[in-house]
Amino acid sequence: MKKIISLLRIFILILPVGLNAQVDAELNRQLRGKQNLSDIMITVKDYYKNPETINRLGTTDVNRNLKRWARYEWYMSGRLGPNGEFVNINQKIFDATSKKTGSISSRSNAVQSSSGSWTPVGPMNTDNGIGRVDRLAFHPTDPDIVYAGSTAGGLWRTTDAGANWTNLSADIPSAGISGIVIDPTNPNIIYILTGDGDSNIGGFVQDFRYIRLSIGVLKSTNGGANWTKMGDFPGANYSNLLGYRLIMHPTNNNILYACTNQGIYATSNGGVSWGLNIGGGRFFNMKFKPGSDNICYTVNSRPDFSTSYFMRSTNSGLTWDTVNSVTPQINNPTNRVELAVAPSNPDRVYLLAGGVYQSGPFRFRGLFLSEDEGLSFNLQRNAPNVLGRLTTGLDQVNQSDYDLAIAVSNTNSNTLVTGAIQVWRSSDAGQNLTYSGNLHDDIHDLGYHPVGNKLWAATDGGVYSSIDNGNTWTSHFEDMNITQFYRMAVNPDDYIDLIGGAQDNAVKRKTGATSYFDEVACCDGFTVGYDQANSNILYAVNNQNISRSTDGGDNFNTINPPNPNLPFAMSMAVHTSAGNSIFVGESSIWRSSDGGVNWTSSLNIRGGWFLRTCPSNGNRVYAAGGTQYNSNSGVLRRSDDGGVTWPNANILSSNPGFSANFTKITSINVDPTNSLRVWVTIGGFTEDEKVYYSSDGGANWVNRSGTLPNVPVNCIAIDNSNNAYIGTDIGVYYRGVGMTDWVPFFNNLPYVPVTDLVISEAENRIRAATFGRGIWSSDLYSTCVSDLSVSGTLEGQEFYEASNSISSTALLLTSEGSKVQMRGGNEVLLQDGFTAREMTQFKAMIGPCGSGGVAGFRISSTDSSVKLPSRQYLPPPGGKKTMIHVHSTANNEISFEISQKQNGETDILLTDEAGNIIYQKKFASSQAGKWQNSINVPELPKGTYFINVLLDKRVEHMQEVIIQ
C-alpha cells in the first residue's frame, strides 16, 4: 500500500488549464515531432499569423488561441529538464515526492507549530467566475446535494443547493477530476476518475504533459473524508492516460466503467481490479438506456479526433457494435461527440457532434436524434453554430474538443440543452435551438438533478444552475476557493486588502475583512501591484495589456508602452519608493515615472522572466530573462540607477558559485534591509538547482538548494532578517538565517502549486497565492517550542518539531496522501492511543529544530550563515505615512524626495551600518504631499549608509545611501 500512496503524487503538477484553442489537423501536423519549446512556439505563432488562419477563425479567436498558447509557454518554460528538454513532469513529481516527507496538516488539530498554520483567504465568492469545474454528479435522493469536480482544486460538495461548498479532497494532491460516481444505495460511497481529458486537444499536448494525467480511480466509503486508490488499469500507459467519464451499472453497484483516451476499463468488484472493456481510441462518454441494465451506448474517436463512432451494446458492454447508420453522419469531425439519453422516453438517444473542416470553412456537424434505442438517427439541426461564441450562432468558431456537453430533461424528452463555449436550448427535440447566456464561457458538463429536475452547468468559471431549462442562470461560487492565481500583491497601507491575477478569471480584488473578491479587470489576470506611495493606484498585467487604476481598482485604463507585440506573461515591478513609477519586462525593459503616460525603453535588456525592485534602495533593480520568454537560458542583470543603465551583463554564470545548467529563473527577491542580499529561484527538474543566494549583489553566489525535492521552485519571499520562504509545486518551505537546510512550512495548506508569496511582517503574516485553491495565509515561522503535545486527528501533510520533546496520542487516518512527521530534540514519545493506520506514512526523528534534512531526506548542505546589520527596519503597522526616495549622492550631498500623506513633524536620520546616527535634520512643520530637500555630510567615507524618515517620531521608511 505504500507504493499506492506514492503513486498518488503523479498528478499534483498543474499547468494552467484552458488551452482550449482549436488545434486543427494542419497545426497538429506542423507540430508533430517537435521536442523543443522554442520550436513549438515559433510554429504556433507563425500558424496564427497566417492570413488563411486569421480569415477562417477571425482576429478575436486567433488572439484568444494565442493567449492560451501563451499560458502553455509560461508554464512549460519553468518545467523543463536540465538541458531544456521536455520531460515527463508527472513522473518527475512522483520521483521527487517519493523521497519527501510532510504534506498538508489536519483540519481538526489546532496545535500551533513552527511549520505554518495556513487558513484560506479566498476568494470564497466572487463575480464573473471563480475557477474551472469539469464534472458534476448528483445525490440520488436529495435535490440539494451536488458534487463538482474541478481541474485544480479537487472534489467539492454542496448540501444546500449550491449556497455553500465543502472540499472533500483537501488532504490529497489536487486531481484533475474527469468523472464522479455516487453509489445510489449508499451515497457515502464515492468514486472519482482522475485525469483531465478535456484539456487534451492533441497528441503533442499530451506528450508535453500540459495536462493532469490520470492515475486511475479513487474511492471513499465515508462521504469523502478519506480516499483509497483502487486497482490499476491493466496495460494502460500511465504516461499519457486521461479520463473523460465514470459510470456505474444501473443495477450492480460493484460494476463501474471508466471512459479514457485508451479505451473503456471495467470493474466488477468496486474498483479492486479492472479489465479493458474496449480499446482502440478515446471514449468520451457511456450511457445506459433508462430502465435497462443491458442496453448501453458510447461515443469514441481515434486519438487525433479524425474519425468518430457511435457504438451500442446489448450485454452491458461485454461486446460493442458500431452503428453504421449514424457513423458516416458524425464521422470526421475534428472534435468529439457527446451523447445523452431521455429518462422520460427510454428509446430516445441524442448525439451532439462537433465541427468539421473540409475543403471549405468550418461547419457544425449537427445534433442527431434516435427514436429506436440508437439503431438509427435523424439529423435535427446543423445550424446555427451552437459550438461558437456569438449569440447569433453565425460565427465559425469551434473548440468542442475542449468543452462539449448535452443534457435532456428528466420529465420532457423534447427539452434539452447543449454546451460548448455557450449554452443553447431547445424545447422541440433540437429542431430549433435558442441561445441561453448569462453564465461563464466554456461549458464542460450539463446535467439535470434526478430529484427536482433542476439544471446544473460546470464551466470555466464555476458552477451554475437553472430552474427554467437554461433560460436564466444562477451562479454558485460560495466557499469554492478554486481560483488559479499567477501573482498577487498586498496593499502597503492596509495589509488586509489585496489583488491577484487569475487564469481565465480576471484580476480579483479583496477589500476589508471579507473572503469576497470582486473582478476589477477582465480576462486573464497576471502580474499585479500597488503603488507604494499611493495605494489607490494599482497596476495589472491582464489580457496582454498593462493597466492602471487611480481609484483603488474600481476602474482600469490601458497604459501600454509603444510595443505592438506585448506578450501574455509580461513581468512587472512597482517602484518601492517613488510614486507613479513602474517597470515592465519582456524582450526589453520599459520604465515609466509618470504612471504609464510616457515610457523609456532599455532595448534588448531581457526582463521577461522576472523583475524585482528593492525596498531599501529604490534605485536598484534586478531583471532576469532570455531572448524569448520560453528560452531555457538567460541572464540576470542589475541596475543601480533606477533602470537607466544596466552595466552588469550577467551576474549569474559569469560570477563564481552559480551553475550554468539552470533552466529558468522563476523569481528574484532581496533582503528588505540590504539590496545586495539577493535570492533567485529556479524552475525545471535539475537536481540541486533550486535556490541561489548572493550577499554582494551577484558578485558571488551560494547554492542554497539543500535537500529540497526536485520540483520547480516558483517564488520566494524574504523577511527583514533575511529569512526565506519559497513556494514550490508541492508546497512552502522555510530557511532561516543560520539554518543549513530547508524545513517544511505547509501545515494546513492544500496540496497545490504555490505561485506567489508576500510577507506582511508588521502583522506577522505571510500569504500564498496558489494555482487552484486561491490565496492562503499563515503566521510567520515561529521559534521552536521546547515541548509540544500533538493530539486529535491527523491526515494529509504535516510536520511538527520541538527543541526537547514531542508527545502524541494522535490518530493518523487511513487516507491516500497522509504523511506525518515529528522531530524532537531529545525524544518523540508516542503515548497510548497513538495510531498510524495502514496507508499512512509516519516518521519520527531526533534532532535540533531548524536543522533541515526533512525536505527530501538527503544530507543537508553546509553553506554559511549571513551576518545582519544591527539596525533593522520594520514597516510600521497600518502602512507607511511617509516615504523617502534618494535621488543622488554627489559630493556627499544626499538629495531626496519625501512623499507624505499627512501633516506633521518630520525627522531625517542618517545612520551607518551599525545603526549609529551620523546626521539628523528636523522639519518641525512639514506638509502632506511631495517635497524635496537635501543634507550634506562633509568627508563622509565611502560605504553603505541608511537614511530614515520619521513622522511624528514614528519610523516610517528607510533607504540605502551608497557613497562611492
Side-chain angles (χ1 to χ4, degrees), residues 136-154:
L136 298 168
F138 307 110
H139 192 280
T141 60
D142 191 331
D144 292 335
I145 298 180
V146 179
Y147 298 81
S150 70
T151 58

Side-chain angles (χ1 to χ4, degrees), residues 796-814:
Q797 188 171 224
E798 299 198 16
F799 171 69
Y800 296 97
E801 63 178 356
S803 62
N804 179 42
S805 173
I806 293 180
S807 63
S808 179
T809 59
L811 168 63
L812 279 58
L813 285 185
T814 303

Side-chain angles (χ1 to χ4, degrees), residues 786-790 794 799-810 812 820-832 834 842-849 854:
S786 175
D787 299 293
L788 184 65
S789 176
V790 181
L794 307 182
F799 171 69
Y800 296 97
E801 63 178 356
S803 62
N804 179 42
S805 173
I806 293 180
S807 63
S808 179
T809 59
L812 279 58
V820 177
Q821 182 176 201
M822 299 178 186
R823 178 168 61 192
N826 294 309
E827 69 174 358
V828 176
L829 179 61
L830 305 180
Q831 297 179 326
D832 289 344
F834 178 88
F842 173 76
K843 186 171 184 178
M845 297 161 291
I846 303 299
C849 287
V854 296

Side-chain angles (χ1 to χ4, degrees), residues 8-9 12 103-107 120 152-156 166-175 177 192 224-227 481 746-752 773 776 795-798 815-818:
L8 196 59
R9 305 298 186 185
I12 61 177
S103 294
I104 356 177
S105 71
S106 77
R107 305 306 184 261
L155 180 67
W156 296 78
T166 301
N167 185 266
L168 300 181
S169 57
D171 292 327
I172 61 174
S174 295
I177 295 176
I192 53 176
N226 309 105
W227 295 90
N481 63 326
F746 40 48
N747 285 0
N748 293 333
L749 186 66
Y751 216 143
V752 287
R773 286 298 306 275
W776 291 67
E795 59 181 318
Q797 188 171 224
E798 299 198 16
S815 185
E816 296 290 350
S818 289

